[in-house]
Amino acid sequence: MKRLQIRAILLITLLITTTTFGKDTITPTQPLANNETLVSSNGQYTLGFFTPAGSNNCYLGLWYSKIATQTILWVANRDKPVTNSTGILSITSKGSLTITDSNSTAVVWSAGSTGLTNPVAQLLDTGNLVVREDGGSGSYAWQGFHHPTDTMLPGMKVGVFRTSGLNVSMTSWKSDDDPSPGSYTTFMDPRGDPELFLYSTAAGSANKVWRSGAWNGVELSGSPSSSSFQGFVFSFVNNDQEVTYSYEVANNSIVSRLVINRTGVLRRTVWLGDTNQWTNDFWYAPKDQCDSYGLCGPYGACDPNRSPVCKCLLEPAFTPENPANWQLRDGKDGCIRRTPLNCIGGTDGFNKVINVKLPESANSTVDMSLSLDQCRAGCLSNCACTAYASARQDGSGCVIWVSALVDIRLYVDGGQDLFVRVAAADVVIDVAVTTPEQSHKSKSSKLAIVLSLILGVLLLAFISCFVWRRKKRSKVMLGATASFNDASNGGAGENDLDLPLFDFGTIAASTNHFSEESKLGEGGFGPVYKGKLEDTQDIAVKRLARTSVQGREEFKNEMVLIAKLQHRNLVRLLGCCIQGEERMLIYEYMPNRSLDAFLFDKEKVALLDWQTRYRIILGVTRGLLYLHQDSRFRIIHRDLKASNILLDKDMNPKISDFGMARIFGGDETDFNTRKVVGTYGYMSPEYAMDGIFSVKSDVFSYGVLVLEIVSGKKNRGVYSNSSHVNLLSHAWSLWKEGKSIQLVDESIGYSFSMDEAIRCIKLGLLCVQERPEDRPLMSSVVQMLFSDIALMPHPKQPGFAARRGPFEAESSSNKKDPSDVNDITISMLEGR
Ligand SMILES: *[C@@H]1O[C@H](CO)[C@@H](O)[C@H](O)[C@H]1NC(C)=O
Ligand SMILES: *[C@@H]1O[C@H](CO)[C@@H](O)[C@H](O)[C@H]1NC(C)=O
Ligand SMILES: *[C@@H]1O[C@H](CO)[C@@H](O)[C@H](O)[C@H]1NC(C)=O
Ligand SMILES: *[C@@H]1O[C@H](CO)[C@@H](O)[C@H](O)[C@H]1NC(C)=O
Ligand SMILES: *[C@@H]1O[C@H](CO)[C@@H](O)[C@H](O)[C@H]1NC(C)=O
Ligand SMILES: *[C@@H]1O[C@H](CO)[C@@H](O)[C@H](O)[C@H]1NC(C)=O
Ligand SMILES: *[C@@H]1O[C@H](CO)[C@@H](O)[C@H](O)[C@H]1NC(C)=O
C-alpha cells in the first residue's frame, strides 16, 4: 500500500517536471487541462489536478513545487470532485472560475465573479489563487486564501471580515484520501476579546475543544510558543473591517504551514531542506489535558502539574458545586461561591490569581483605553461583573467579565493576572493596597549571607569579652567559649578535635588565590570565597580579615563547637586553616545560598512550591531539635532566621551560623545577658526586652520563620498599608477570624495541602506566643507536625503582635538602606 502511494507520488512528480508550462495565469482562452499546472512566478507553489491515492476522484489542488512528497496545501473543490474523469479549470469571460470534467460537459465547481470584463486567474507567489481584471491592481474579485481547507499558509488571514461578513476558517480533511470537510474546524470568535476556537462535530453536535486565548500583544495567550525559533512574525488585526490572525515567515527560505489534522490537532510544521523532512516540534495544540475547553467547569482552574488537575479558583472562596463528582475527578460541574457577593453594599473585593490563561471572554467587554485601576472601578460599578484583567501582557487595556469564568488554566510562568470578584469575607489581600515588595537583588542577598556569617563570628568574639551574669542565681559565668567547657565537662579539649586542618597553600589554590572571580561576597569583616578541593568538592571559605578583633582562642572554640555538631540539617564545617595570621573556616558549599534569597525575592519565590516549603520546615525543625535536645550538647542558636537557613542543591535546609550559639548545662534553663544579640523580627519579647534567652527564645524565632515560609512575607517589613502591623499580628487576626488559609503565599497558587498549611500556621502561632512557658519545646513541635490539627493546643496572642518592636525606632546597624535592616544581625548593649 505504502509502496503504491509512493509510486503514485513519483508519477505525479514526474508529470509536474515534464509538463510544467511555467505559466502562472489562465485566461478565458487558455484554460488549464488536467495534465497542466500553474507555477507561481517564484517557483514555490504549483496548482494542478491531483487524485488522492486510493480514490477515483480528481481535485484541483495546490502543493509545494520543490518538495518531492506531494503535500496538498489547498483544495478548490474539496466537496465537489470530478469523478471517473480528469478535470479542466477555466475562467469564463465574466470572471467565473469553473472546473468541468474532461468532456467539458458538466460544471462540477465554480467560484469567483460574474462582473469582470477582462478577467484572469493568477497563482501568486504566496500560493494564493486570485481572480482579478487583467492588468488591474489592488483588489481581487475572488481569492483562494479566503477559502482555505485545512492549512494556513504564511500571509493567509483566518478570521472574520466584518464588512463582508466573510468568515475564514479551516476544516480538517475527512480522511487521508478524502479532502471533504471533516470533524474539526478552527475559526475566530470575534466577540469579547477575540480568539480562535477549535470546534469538533465528531460527537454529532458542535463542541468547543480548545481556544487559543486572546491576543496578548505578542502571541495568542493560551498557546505560548515553546520554541525560541525567531522565524515567524505573528499578527492580529482587530478593527472595524476585520478580526484576523495571520503569520509571516521572517525569511522566504523558511517553508512553514499550520495544519489541522483529521483528529483535531493544530500543528505548525517547518520543512527542513537539509534533511528533506518536516519537523513537527514547533507548536501544536491542544497540548495537554488542561487545554481541553472547560475541563474544570465554571470557576474551576486546571493545573497540569497537579493531580487531579482541577481545583476551584481561590479555594476556599469557591468550592466544588458537586463534591462527589469532583472527588471522582470530574470537574465539569465546576465551583460555586462560598459567600454571595454584596454588590449593593459595595463591600466586594478582588483576589488576584497569577499566571493564568484568562477565561473565555465571549461575553466580556473590552476597553483598550482603560487603565487597570479604572478597570477595577468599572467592574465594581457593574453588579454582573465577575472579574477583570488587563487586556494585554504589557498591562494595557481592560477586560471585564460579566458571566461565569470558564476555561481557566494555570501556567508555571507566563500567563496573565486575573482579578476575581469575591465577597468581603473571602478577600485575601485587597489589590487596591499594593504591597511594595523589597526586591532583593542577588548581590545584596549574597552580601547579606556573608555579612551575617561574619557578623556571627565577630560577635562571638565580642561576647566572650564580657562577663555574663546569671540573674536568678547571681552565678558568674563566662561566655560561649567557657561555657562550652563547662557543659562538656572538659571533654572537648583541643586534643579530641577531629577537624582537618587545611594548609594555606591548598586553600589559596582552591580559590584561585582568593581571586575576585571566586569571591561569593564581601562583608565588613572579611570576604567569603568559593573554592574547589581537588577539583571535585565545592567549598565555601570564610576568611577573617586581619583587622578582625576575633582572637585565636575564640576562633578555635567556635570551630570546635561547629565541628562537634553533625546533622544533615546543619551546615557542615569541613575544616579550618590556621597559619600565621590567617584564620579561615572551610564549609560545604551551598549552591542555592540562603532561604531569604528565595522567599523574599519576587521572582525566585515561584520556585518555592508548597512541597518544597513544607520540606524546608521539616528540615529546620529536625535541625533545631538536634541542637536543643539530641546532640551531645544543648545549644541555643540565638539567631535563627531565613538568611541563616542555607539550601543545598536539592533545596534541603541547613541551619548555619553558630557564631552566637550558646551551650547551656543540664540544669540551666535560661540565661540572662546584658548584651542582646539577634535579628529584628525574630527576637522573642523576653529576650529583646529583658535579655533572657532560653530554648524558648529559639522556638519563638522558629515560629516566626515558619510563618514567613508559609506566607512568603517578612515579619518585619512593609506588609500592609498600616506600618504598625507585622506578620505575627496579621497571622493572629486571620487566625481569630478563621481565615488563616489566606496567609498562604499567593504565589503558591492552588497547589498546596490545606491541612499541612493550617497545621504549619497553627504551629507557628503556638511558637510565637507572648509567654515563653506557653511555647512548645521542639520535641512537642515535632509531634504536632505529625498529629491531628484538632489535638494541638489553641494559640494565645503572639508576642509583639499588636505593638511595634522596641528597637524599631533606632538602628545600631551601619547600613544606610533601611530596608536592609531586617537582615542584619544586631548587637545591643543595655546601659549599665
Ligand atoms: C495533455 O492532454 C491532452 C488531452 O487531454 C493532450 O492532447 C496533450 O497532448 C497532453 N499534453 C501533454 C504534454 O501530455
Ligand atoms: C465511477 O466508476 C465506477 C467504476 O469504475 C462506478 O462504480 C461509479 O459509479 C462511477 N461513478 C460515477 C459518478 O460515474
Ligand atoms: C466523454 O465523452 C466520451 C465520448 O464522447 C464518452 O465516451 C465518455 O463517456 C464521456 N465521459 C464522461 C465522463 O462523460
Ligand atoms: C464562522 O464559521 C464557524 C464554523 O463554520 C461558525 O461556527 C462560526 O459561528 C462562524 N462565525 C461567524 C462570526 O459567523
Ligand atoms: C534566510 O535564512 C537562511 C537560513 O536560515 C539564511 O542562510 C539566509 O541568509 C536568510 N536570508 C535572509 C534574506 O535573511
Ligand atoms: C494528528 O496529529 C496528532 C499529533 O501529531 C497525531 O497524534 C495524530 O495521529 C494525527 N492524526 C492523524 C489522523 O494523522
Ligand atoms: C454568555 O452568556 C450567555 C447568556 O447568559 C451564556 O449562556 C453563555 O454560557 C455565556 N458564555 C460564556 C462563555 O460565558
Side-chain angles (χ1 to χ4, degrees):
M1 181 68 192
K2 182 120 195 167
R3 189 167 295 161
L4 214 98
Q5 276 182 14
I6 291 172
R7 205 178 295 156
I9 287 159
L10 280 178
L11 197 70
I12 290 166
T13 320
L14 210 70
L15 278 173
I16 298 163
T17 45
T18 53
T19 65
T20 292
F21 281 51
K23 64 173 183 177
D24 66 354
T25 309
I26 60 167
T27 60
T29 54
Q30 284 182 302
L32 189 74
N34 177 68
N35 54 7
E36 295 176 330
T37 56
L38 294 185
V39 178
S40 62
S41 68
N42 62 1
Q44 194 174 356
Y45 296 101
T46 298
L47 183 88
F49 287 95
F50 72 98
T51 298
S55 162
N56 289 325
N57 293 339
C58 181
Y59 300 90
L60 179 68
L62 181 79
W63 58 88
Y64 293 112
S65 310
K66 291 168 190 162
I67 294 174
T69 311
Q70 194 183 39
T71 310
I72 301 297
L73 304 169
W74 177 70
V75 182
N77 52 331
R78 68 186 303 183
D79 49 0
K80 288 172 182 154
V82 185
T83 49
N84 290 344
S85 168
T86 54
I88 294 172
L89 174 71
S90 44
I91 187 165
T92 65
S93 58
K94 299 270 194 237
S96 176
L97 269 181
T98 60
I99 294 174
T100 56
D101 63 30
S102 51
N103 284 0
S104 297
T105 48
V107 172
V108 296
W109 176 87
S110 73
S113 167
T114 52
L116 301 185
T117 52
N118 191 15
V120 291
Q122 185 181 12
L123 181 63
L124 303 181
D125 283 350
T126 52
N128 195 3
L129 177 67
V130 301
V131 173
R132 58 174 170 80
E133 289 286 6
D134 194 10
S137 55
S139 66
Y140 307 127
W142 180 91
Q143 54 177 307
F145 268 18
H146 281 172
H147 308 276
T149 49
D150 65 342
T151 303
M152 188 174 173
L153 291 173
M156 189 183 267
K157 288 175 164 185
V158 169
V160 173
F161 292 84
R162 298 190 200 264
T163 38
S164 62
L166 184 73
N167 180 358
V168 180
S169 62
M170 291 152 58
T171 301
S172 60
W173 282 30
K174 190 167 242 158
S175 66
D176 289 342
D177 59 5
D178 185 357
S180 63
S183 304
Y184 293 91
T185 301
T186 300
F187 66 90
M188 178 79 69
D189 185 346
R191 296 172 298 163
D193 211 0
E195 57 184 323
L196 293 176
F197 274 87
L198 183 61
Y199 257 62
S200 164
T201 52
S205 62
N207 290 307
K208 293 175 187 170
V209 173
W210 170 82
R211 62 188 183 94
S212 69
W215 181 253
N216 65 12
V218 180
E219 59 185 349
L220 292 169
S221 58
S223 49
S225 167
S226 52
S227 162
S228 56
F229 184 63
Q230 298 291 305
F232 305 114
V233 181
F234 302 102
S235 34
F236 197 90
V237 179
N238 184 6
N239 58 25
D240 292 345
Q241 280 89 47
E242 59 185 276
V243 186
T244 56
Y245 170 71
S246 61
Y247 73 98
E248 294 283 357
V249 286
N251 174 333
N252 278 332
S253 69
I254 300 165
V255 175
S256 166
R257 64 201 172 114
L258 184 69
V259 183
I260 174 170
N261 82 3
R262 272 203 298 125
T263 44
V265 177
L266 258 180
R267 187 184 277 283
R268 182 184 305 289
T269 57
V270 172
W271 177 255
L272 299 177
D274 35 355
T275 60
N276 274 350
Q277 273 174 352
W278 288 102
T279 169
N280 284 331
D281 48 4
F282 280 92
W283 177 90
Y284 68 96
K287 230 187 196 111
D288 57 25
Q289 217 183 342
C290 287
D291 271 349
S292 305
Y293 174 85
L295 185 74
C296 299
Y299 301 108
C302 191
D303 181 351
N305 296 321
R306 63 190 298 282
S307 172
V309 291
C310 286
K311 181 96 187 166
C312 286
L313 212 51
L314 299 167
E315 239 167 43
F318 291 88
T319 54
E321 154 108 75
N322 186 336
N325 286 357
W326 199 265
Q327 285 296 320
L328 296 171
R329 311 199 163 197
D330 175 1
K332 280 272 183 291
D333 291 333
C335 306
I336 48 170
R337 273 175 208 290
R338 181 174 67 164
T339 322
L341 293 176
N342 181 358
C343 184
I344 309 299
T347 59
D348 296 342
F350 295 93
N351 284 344
K352 178 160 104 176
V353 191
I354 61 171
N355 301 130
V356 297
K357 174 183 181 179
L358 293 178
E360 182 181 359
S361 68
N363 289 340
S364 62
T365 54
V366 180
D367 188 334
M368 292 305 295
S369 70
L370 295 185
S371 70
L372 196 60
D373 281 344
Q374 291 166 322
C375 199
R376 180 180 204 267
C379 182
L380 278 178
S381 65
N382 177 350
C383 283
C385 175
T386 51
Y388 72 92
S390 293
R392 301 285 174 261
Q393 211 162 31
D394 63 7
S396 65
C398 162
V399 189
I400 286 177
W401 282 263
V402 292
S403 51
L405 305 176
V406 241
D407 196 34
I408 297 171
R409 70 168 288 167
L410 305 179
Y411 297 113
V412 174
D413 54 20
Q416 280 159 271
D417 293 344
L418 175 69
F419 299 87
V420 179
R421 186 180 198 153
V422 290
D426 290 327
V427 173
V428 178
I429 297 168
D430 198 300
V431 295
V433 185
T434 41
T435 329
E437 284 285 350
Q438 298 154 358
S439 103
H440 283 249
K441 294 291 160 274
S442 63
K443 200 171 170 190
S444 73
S445 47
K446 202 189 277 179
L447 200 68
I449 302 168
V450 175
L451 273 179
S452 48
L453 273 172
I454 295 178
L455 261 167
V457 175
L458 186 84
L459 284 166
L460 184 70
F462 250 155
I463 295 163
S464 47
C465 293
F466 290 90
V467 177
W468 306 88
R469 201 177 41 196
R470 290 191 58 191
K471 202 186 222 170
K472 287 178 184 162
R473 304 183 201 170
S474 332
K475 178 174 152 194
V476 176
M477 45 175 291
L478 296 174
T481 53
S483 67
F484 172 81
N485 286 325
D486 284 352
S488 59
N489 297 323
E494 201 177 321
N495 295 338
D496 62 345
L497 173 60
D498 187 19
L499 188 68
L501 271 169
F502 285 90
D503 161 61
F504 178 78
T506 311
I507 301 303
S510 82
T511 58
N512 202 6
H513 296 278
F514 306 106
S515 67
E516 277 302 309
E517 296 80 60
S518 62
K519 195 187 272 187
L520 292 171
E522 171 83 59
F525 310 94
V528 171
Y529 299 91
K530 181 183 174 189
K532 219 178 191 45
L533 279 185
E534 286 153 3
D535 283 336
T536 51
Q537 186 174 17
D538 284 330
I539 54 171
V541 178
K542 184 157 78 174
R543 186 189 198 190
L544 298 192
R546 301 254 165 112
T547 51
S548 166
V549 293
Q550 183 156 359
R552 189 172 299 199
E553 275 311 303
E554 291 81 6
F555 177 85
K556 199 178 245 173
N557 273 299
E558 148 138 5
M559 209 169 64
V560 170
L561 175 63
I562 307 176
K564 289 289 166 193
L565 300 172
Q566 288 247 343
H567 188 269
R568 71 195 140 119
N569 295 115
L570 301 185
V571 74
R572 208 152 72 83
L573 186 66
L574 301 175
C576 62
C577 171
I578 303 175
Q579 208 161 323
E581 293 290 294
E582 286 293 345
R583 293 284 177 278
M584 288 185 280
L585 291 174
I586 292 98
Y587 297 91
E588 58 178 333
Y589 175 70
M590 291 289 142
N592 280 319
R593 309 293 171 86
S594 60
L595 177 60
D596 65 328
F598 282 87
L599 204 51
F600 306 134
D601 183 285
K602 247 181 174 164
E603 277 146 31
K604 282 166 109 187
V605 72
L607 299 171
L608 288 181
D609 58 16
W610 175 254
Q611 285 88 336
T612 308
R613 292 188 205 217
Y614 194 61
R615 233 180 39 232
I616 291 172
I617 291 174
L618 292 182
V620 173
T621 310
R622 285 195 205 99
L624 195 57
L625 177 70
Y626 172 81
L627 286 182
H628 283 183
Q629 276 166 266
D630 290 354
S631 73
R632 279 168 64 196
F633 321 104
R634 306 183 70 196
I635 291 156
I636 304 176
H637 186 281
R638 294 214 294 166
D639 199 15
L640 198 64
K641 57 179 171 177
S643 57
N644 280 343
I645 306 298
L646 303 186
L647 298 169
D648 74 4
K649 67 178 190 338
D650 302 318
M651 300 297 277
N652 292 312
K654 311 229 174 193
I655 300 174
S656 77
D657 196 350
F658 298 85
M660 288 188 288
R662 296 284 304 268
I663 292 188
F664 58 99
D667 59 341
E668 295 155 337
T669 55
D670 55 16
F671 296 101
N672 183 253
T673 177
R674 287 191 303 119
K675 185 173 178 318
V676 173
V677 293
T679 300
Y680 284 132
Y682 293 91
M683 269 187 274
S684 63
E686 75 281 3
Y687 180 40
M689 292 190 296
D690 303 325
I692 298 170
F693 67 91
S694 67
V695 286
K696 296 298 186 68
S697 37
D698 267 2
V699 168
F700 184 94
S701 313
Y702 165 85
V704 173
L705 185 63
V706 167
L707 293 172
E708 287 185 337
I709 294 173
V710 172
S711 67
K713 305 269 190 317
K714 290 185 180 191
N715 182 25
R716 275 185 83 259
V718 190
Y719 181 63
S720 122
N721 55 341
S722 152
S723 60
H724 293 267
V725 176
N726 62 16
L727 176 62
L728 298 192
S729 63
H730 183 63
W732 176 240
S733 58
L734 286 175
W735 177 262
K736 280 189 300 183
E737 293 163 36
K739 297 194 297 193
S740 58
I741 201 71
Q742 293 178 14
L743 195 69
V744 177
D745 191 345
E746 55 178 1
S747 75
I748 292 179
Y750 312 95
S751 326
F752 65 89
S753 151
M754 195 123 106
D755 181 71
E756 284 170 4
I758 290 184
R759 188 193 309 274
C760 288
I761 292 166
K762 190 168 184 182
L763 186 70
L765 286 170
L766 284 168
C767 291
V768 298
Q769 290 175 106
E770 175 118 42
R771 285 154 40 95
E773 50 275 34
D774 290 337
R775 297 175 210 145
L777 286 168
M778 286 313 289
S779 49
S780 322
V781 167
V782 172
Q783 277 171 14
M784 285 190 264
L785 268 173
F786 297 101
S787 67
D788 198 323
I789 297 178
L791 297 179
M792 292 165 74
H794 287 287
K796 297 181 193 140
Q797 158 119 8
F800 292 144
R803 47 204 156 96
R804 292 167 70 103
F807 308 130
E808 284 201 48
E810 50 183 301
S811 168
S812 64
S813 159
N814 56 2
K815 294 279 289 189
K816 278 162 205 79
D817 181 357
S819 70
D820 278 350
V821 165
N822 266 354
D823 292 332
I824 306 298
T825 300
I826 57 147
S827 140
M828 212 169 296
L829 281 171
E830 285 176 4
R832 289 181 183 251

